């Protein structure tokens, strides 16, 4: 007789009434399973986290998990059959698995909408209070700001225009916290916990044994983000509420707000909002500054301001605080099928204890609760809260639908691969961050302050980073981040406790995770594991650094702006030809020559190694890797002259837009890039396999690229080691590069302006573009830029009607010449990212108001013909150009830059920006 395996030893039923079991490991086809006195055989190999039928399911009958319906059987499903919908089969086929999959799906996601019956509603009874003597060491704040778990000085970008500045300023100021010589840290009494208390205190990411001159200041951090580059965005109310929430957050000891002057969302707009909404700014040391002088002068001014606060901020010590002072943000990302079985229930158990003690917890991610309405509303404190929650779900879906999208398609490729087949399964698992005994007390808007103790739902997108920003702005002083795949997200000034769902994944990523919820699957009772997690939380709240804080990386993303509903004709349309505008060749071409790099038969302006994050989640790790590689490459003759990365916000938690795909493909083939590694997080929608397929479709040789994965390679250090080894192997096989002289025909440049240049300046720029194109080079202009306005060329062959875009956003050209790139955005950083992806190797940025941020890969030369503007920002402009002097000064600067004789000022100051547009229909999910 064939031996069978008990179901409970290899799978889980989230609820006793479920008819689908979740595999706890890969189960080979033909495995015999015993359950309820029945033995059955698995039809196919079942991946870990995927589902199989634990009882026969007739066609038209519901598939159940957590006792709720997540699909309807399309055909009869036999015991042991692999349960698959069309979406998960498509994802699995893209992964090139080495075993057979079902040929067709056997269930659909077509379910009836949840119906709320207000007449039968009964408010839930409150939880019994918990009398506890547990405490933590926190920072009490005046003005009703609550209790801080950190005492940080925050450098806050009011808009994306200053993100590079605030990042640099925070890095410069971190050294202010270090002692000239080691000093012992003051002792702090704490409850003994079963978790290590190593790495307590000090700035985040500080070196081992490094002490602080200001022991009560935990860190100086930057809050840089992508929003507010222009005033009046659809998300401006959300942005201002979030920024003011950050300013008065209990973890903030002082805050310096920085804007870009008169452009975009400004300090004046922020101050007006704070005054109108009674934000208690008087109870936190704060200041406002504008970048109205050179980058270096502004940095020096910022340093003086913050250093003047150090003694004041350091004068606030930690003191014993009750558990009721905790406000926990409940998040999940990179979820798998076990998130709702181990990780989320564990976080919910701890949150329940905190709420019983008088604290708060906040559930969020609106679109990720579609399909879980019955579970969420099983216990609600009031009918008004239930109705507000449902209104928020409907409102979110209506907004997404207005842009031609749907929140129902939310699960990422990583979610699907790890067993979350649709939004219903993902939502049911996500909803288990509410313990069954806990009632939902309040439903609040994004970033709305928490007014009372209890359990909250906050409206937000499912995008992890955007949702976390809202929870923090609401006042949460601790983040629980549950992850199945192993997400490495951290927030700058609120500690993140990362809870991973399985022991196997924790073992793989133990250097990057805090808590192993897999212990529950392995047999540890949930209350026991929950008590340990609460102890660990109190230790973190008392100053012990979390794993993520010790890693020293963090990022912020506020709910990104969205376009107004677009005319389908505007959002789509035929792809431009890629062929240049027909020109009357210029007479008397100017003299020009420069020293280009030549290697293996290819000529380029620079030789760059690129680490391209496949999504937002691996960007911070790419930055760490680039820093290490640039140190390693110094003095190596065949290595790239430098390594760069392009950190962005896309690929997960948002619709996948054609502009994003084209931008990524453009940089993968960029002429300046000699070697490139794609670095995935591992659970995003646009993972390595996704891009491999896109590259094959585009005719790219995928073997020419390196591939690394933070999650699948075993964590941060292991993935960096893998990509470093790949670059080393490539560089050892490269031919020696040489310098080669070339003329105008070798130039590939873009000419952009800020719309404030005079006619005479524009005329000379048009002359330059014409000369480069006439010589056989390429010049790219931007649609609707001043330089490309309707009177760009005045003779018949070059009339305005011929100036329709020849290139789509980020589209490489097919032929050299004069091109105009179409664009759906008005943001400088987004247009810069798009035009550089076309293949240009240098950008002339001509401005009348202020210099523009540069690009991480392509040099941007800031030029002005405005003497007054140049006087204010002299250190940031590469050239004060008098158009009457002709093209010679411009061409000399271009030659010197390409030949390596000068470096663009934006590069010298590291004032760089990169952001990918979401086009006319992109939206956070």
């Amino acid at each position: 007789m064939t031996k069978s395996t008990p179901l409970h030893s290899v799978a889980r039923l989230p609820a006793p009434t479920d008819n689908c079991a979740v595999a706890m490991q890969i189960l080979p086809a033909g495995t015999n399973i015993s359950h309820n006195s029945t033995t059955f055989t698995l039809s196919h190999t079942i991946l870990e986290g995927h589902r199989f039928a634990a009882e026969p399911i007739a066609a038209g009958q519901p598939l159940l998990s957590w006792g709720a319906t997540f699909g309807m059987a399309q055909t009869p499903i036999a015991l042991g059959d692999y349960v698959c919908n069309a979406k998960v089969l498509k994802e699995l086929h893209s992964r090139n698995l080495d075993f057979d999959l079902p040929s067709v799906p056997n269930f659909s996601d077509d379910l009836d909408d949840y119906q709320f019956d207000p007449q039968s509603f009964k408010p839930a009874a409150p939880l019994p209070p918990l009398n506890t003597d547990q405490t933590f060491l926190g920072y009490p704040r005046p003005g009703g700001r609550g209790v801080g778990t950190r005492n940080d000085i925050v450098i806050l970008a009011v808009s994306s225009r200053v993100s590079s500045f605030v990042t640099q300023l925070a890095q410069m100021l971190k050294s202010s916290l270090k002692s000239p010589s080691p000093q012992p840290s003051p002792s702090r009494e704490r409850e003994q916990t079963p978790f290590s208390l190593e790495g307590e205190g000090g700035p985040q990411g500080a070196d081992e044994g490094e002490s602080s001159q200001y022991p009560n200041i935990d860190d100086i951090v930057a809050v840089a983000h992508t929003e507010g580059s222009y005033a009046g965005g659809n998300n401006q109310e959300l942005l201002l509420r979030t920024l003011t929430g950050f300013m008065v957050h209990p973890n903030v000891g002082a805050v310096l707000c920085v804007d870009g002057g008169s452009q975009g969302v400004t300090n004046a707009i922020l101050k007006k909002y704070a005054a109108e909404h009674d934000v208690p700014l008087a109870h936190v040391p704060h200041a406002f500054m504008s970048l109205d002088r050179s980058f270096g002068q502004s940095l020096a001014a910022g340093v003086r301001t913050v250093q003047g606060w150090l003694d004041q901020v350091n004068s606030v010590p930690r003191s014993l605080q009750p558990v009721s002072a905790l406000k926990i943000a409940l998040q999940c990302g990179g979820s798998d099928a076990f998130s709702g079985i181990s990780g989320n229930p564990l976080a919910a158990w701890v949150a329940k204890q905190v709420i019983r003690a008088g604290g708060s917890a906040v559930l969020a991610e609106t679109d990720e609760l579609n399909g879980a309405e019955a579970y969420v509303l099983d216990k609600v404190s009031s009918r008004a809260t239930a109705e507000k929650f449902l209104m928020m779900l409907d409102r979110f879906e209506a907004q997404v639908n207005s842009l031609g999208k749907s929140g129902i398609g939310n699960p990422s490729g990583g979610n699907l691969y790890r067993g979350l087949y649709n939004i219903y399964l993902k939502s049911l698992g996500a909803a288990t961050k509410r313990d069954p005994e806990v009632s939902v007390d309040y439903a609040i808007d994004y970033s709305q302050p928490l007014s009372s103790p209890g359990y909250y739902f906050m409206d937000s997108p499912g995008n992890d980073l955007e949702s976390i920003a809202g929870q923090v702005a609401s006042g949460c002083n601790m983040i629980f981040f549950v992850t199945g795949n192993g997400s490495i997200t951290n927030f700058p000034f609120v500690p993140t406790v990362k809870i991973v769902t399985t022991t196997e994944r924790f073992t793989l990523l133990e250097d990057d995770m805090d808590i192993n919820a897999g212990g529950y699957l392995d047999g540890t009772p949930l209350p026991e594991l929950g008590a340990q997690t609460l102890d660990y939380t109190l230790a973190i709240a008392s100053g012990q650094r979390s794993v993520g804080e010790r890693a020293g990386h963090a990022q912020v993303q506020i709910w990104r702006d969205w376009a107004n509903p677009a005319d389908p004709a505007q959002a789509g349309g035929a792809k431009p030809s890629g062929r240049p505008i027909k020109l009357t060749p210029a007479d008397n071409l100017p003299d020009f020559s420069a020293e280009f790099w030549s290697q293996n038969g290819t000529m380029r302006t620079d030789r760059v190694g690129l680490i391209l994050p496949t999504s937002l989640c691996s960007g911070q790790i790419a930055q760490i890797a680039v820093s290490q590689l640039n140190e390693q490459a110094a003095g190596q003759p065949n290595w790239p002259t430098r390594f760069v990365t392009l950190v962005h916000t896309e690929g997960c938690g948002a619709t996948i837009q054609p502009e994003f795909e084209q931008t990524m493909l453009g940089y993968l083939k960029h002429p300046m890039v000699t070697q490139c590694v794609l670095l995935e997080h591992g659970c995003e929608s646009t993972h390595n396999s996704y891009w491999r397929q896109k590259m094959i479709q585009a005719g790219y040789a995928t073997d020419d690229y390196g591939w690394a994965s933070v999650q699948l390679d075993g964590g941060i250090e292991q993935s960096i080691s893998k990509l470093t080894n790949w670059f080393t192997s490539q560089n050892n096989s490269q031919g020696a590069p040489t310098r080669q002289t070339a003329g105008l025909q070798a130039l590939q440049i873009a000419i952009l302006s800020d719309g404030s240049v005079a006619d005479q300046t524009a005329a000379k720029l048009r002359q330059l573009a014409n000369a480069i194109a006439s010589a056989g080079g390429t010049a790219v202009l931007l649609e609707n830029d001043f330089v490309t306005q309707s009177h760009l060329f005045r003779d018949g062959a070059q009339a305005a009607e011929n100036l329709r875009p020849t290139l789509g956003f980020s589209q490489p050209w097919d032929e050299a010449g004069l091109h105009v790139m179409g664009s759906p955005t008005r943001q400088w950083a987004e247009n810069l990212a798009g035009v550089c992806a076309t293949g240009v190797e240098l950008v002339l940025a001509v401005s009348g108001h202020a210099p523009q941020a540069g690009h991480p890969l392509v040099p941007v030369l800031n030029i002005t013909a405005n003497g007054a503007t140049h006087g204010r920002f002299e250190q940031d402009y590469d050239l004060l150009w008098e158009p009457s002097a002709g093209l010679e000064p411009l061409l000399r600067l271009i030659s010197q830059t390409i030949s390596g004789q000068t470096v663009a000022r934006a590069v010298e100051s590291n004032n760089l920006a990169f952001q990918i547009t979401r086009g006319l229909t992109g939206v956070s999910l």
Side-chain angles (χ1 to χ4, degrees), residues 599-800:
Q599 187 177 26
N600 299 330
T602 301
M603 192 162 63
R604 48 174 59 95
T605 60
D606 204 353
R607 301 178 294 109
V608 181
L610 174 64
I611 301 175
L612 190 59
T614 64
S615 73
L616 72 165
C617 299
S618 53
Q620 301 301 308
I621 310 311
Q623 287 184 324
I624 295 171
V626 161
S627 178
Q628 295 180 9
L629 281 164
N630 278 322
E631 290 183 8
Q632 183 176 338
Q636 300 284 346
N638 290 354
W639 281 56
T641 59
R642 58 193 172 101
F643 288 86
V644 303
T645 186
L646 303 174
V647 178
H648 58 87
T649 61
E650 302 310 293
C652 204
T655 53
I656 301 172
Q657 297 297 109
E659 293 89 353
F660 170 48
E661 293 182 341
Q662 184 57 66
T663 300
M664 295 285 282
L665 291 171
Y667 285 110
L668 288 167
K669 275 283 194 180
H670 197 280
M672 295 171 65
V673 175
T674 60
Q675 300 155 17
C676 178
V677 170
L678 290 90
L679 176 64
E680 71 171 10
H681 189 210
C683 58
E684 58 268 81
S685 298
T686 55
H687 43 70
N688 278 344
S689 293
Y690 178 95
W691 288 115
R692 194 185 298 271
Q693 292 298 319
K694 291 292 180 182
M695 292 163 69
I696 290 172
Q697 293 169 12
Y700 293 15
T702 56
D703 290 344
D704 292 345
Y705 296 84
W707 306 84
S709 173
V710 177
Q711 292 173 356
L712 299 183
D713 291 333
I716 296 172
E717 291 186 9
Q718 291 82 352
S719 61
I720 292 176
S721 176
K722 181 178 180 179
L723 63 86
T724 299
N725 291 338
W726 184 86
F727 279 118
T728 301
S729 68
Q730 294 294 304
N731 293 321
N732 289 339
S733 62
Q734 292 285 319
T738 59
R739 283 289 197 176
Q740 181 176 332
T741 302
L744 281 176
Q745 77 281 1
L747 286 182
Q748 302 179 146
I749 77 169
I751 304 174
L752 307 179
S753 81
D754 67 355
S756 64
V757 299
D759 284 349
Q760 184 184 12
T761 303
K764 284 295 181 182
L765 294 173
R766 296 192 287 266
Q767 183 182 343
L768 174 64
N770 198 350
I772 293 170
S774 297
T778 296
V780 180
L781 311 176
L782 184 65
E783 179 187 23
N784 298 326
D785 192 332
F786 183 85
V787 179
T788 53
Q789 289 299 316
S790 61
H791 298 293
L792 174 59
F793 298 105
R794 298 183 186 275
D795 64 301
Q798 299 154 15

Side-chain angles (χ1 to χ4, degrees), residues 87-301:
K87 193 176 298 183
V88 80
L89 278 180
K90 179 180 178 181
E91 179 64 29
L92 295 182
H93 281 297
S94 77
R95 299 276 181 159
N96 300 315
L97 302 173
D98 58 0
F99 53 83
D100 291 336
L101 295 166
S103 57
V104 294
N106 53 17
F107 82 92
S108 74
D109 307 329
D110 188 16
L111 303 181
D112 294 333
D113 293 338
Y114 171 79
Q115 299 296 321
F116 176 67
D117 181 6
Q119 302 306 317
S120 62
F121 175 82
K122 294 181 180 179
L127 280 170
L130 176 67
N131 297 316
T132 176
D133 57 2
Q134 286 184 292
T135 58
F136 69 96
L137 291 167
Y139 297 98
R141 304 295 189 188
R145 293 173 56 210
V147 174
T149 58
R150 294 293 180 267
N151 190 28
D152 288 348
I153 296 174
V154 171
I155 316 299
L156 178 64
V158 175
S159 80
S160 62
R161 292 175 180 269
V162 297
S163 287
S164 177
F165 175 86
V166 300
T167 301
Q168 285 194 62
L169 179 57
Q171 287 297 327
M172 291 177 64
L173 284 162
K174 285 179 185 288
S175 61
S176 302
L177 300 183
K178 300 174 185 176
S179 294
S181 56
Q183 299 176 2
S185 299
S187 61
R188 297 168 176 165
E189 295 182 8
R190 284 198 190 93
E191 298 274 347
Q192 291 298 309
T193 78
F195 294 88
S196 168
L197 297 181
E198 63 184 350
E200 62 183 71
Q204 294 181 18
D207 295 334
E208 190 72 25
E210 195 174 81
S211 57
S212 175
Q213 186 177 354
Y214 298 94
N216 293 324
I217 300 177
D218 291 295
D219 208 352
I220 298 176
V221 301
V223 173
H225 56 87
T226 62
E227 301 310 293
S229 67
Y230 56 87
N234 288 322
N235 71 339
Q236 183 159 306
E237 175 78 13
L238 305 180
L239 173 61
L240 294 172
R241 190 162 63 230
T242 302
L243 294 176
T244 53
F246 288 167
M247 292 178 72
V248 297
H249 191 278
N251 284 14
V252 176
V255 57
L256 174 63
C257 301
V258 184
D259 74 3
S262 61
Q263 296 178 313
V265 174
T266 63
N267 286 331
I269 294 172
L270 184 64
K271 286 190 277 190
K272 182 173 183 289
Y273 180 90
E276 291 174 347
H277 293 80
D278 298 321
V279 178
L281 292 183
H283 296 284
V284 57
H286 67 279
F288 297 90
M289 72 172 288
S290 297
L291 301 192
D292 54 4
R293 67 202 98 175
S294 74
F295 203 79
Q297 291 171 330
S298 295
L299 285 172

Side-chain angles (χ1 to χ4, degrees), residues 413-430:
N415 294 150
L416 295 167
Y417 183 59
R418 297 278 285 162
L420 296 180
Y421 298 173
N422 56 26
I423 191 62
Y424 303 109
L425 276 181
K426 187 173 184 181
S427 295
L428 287 165

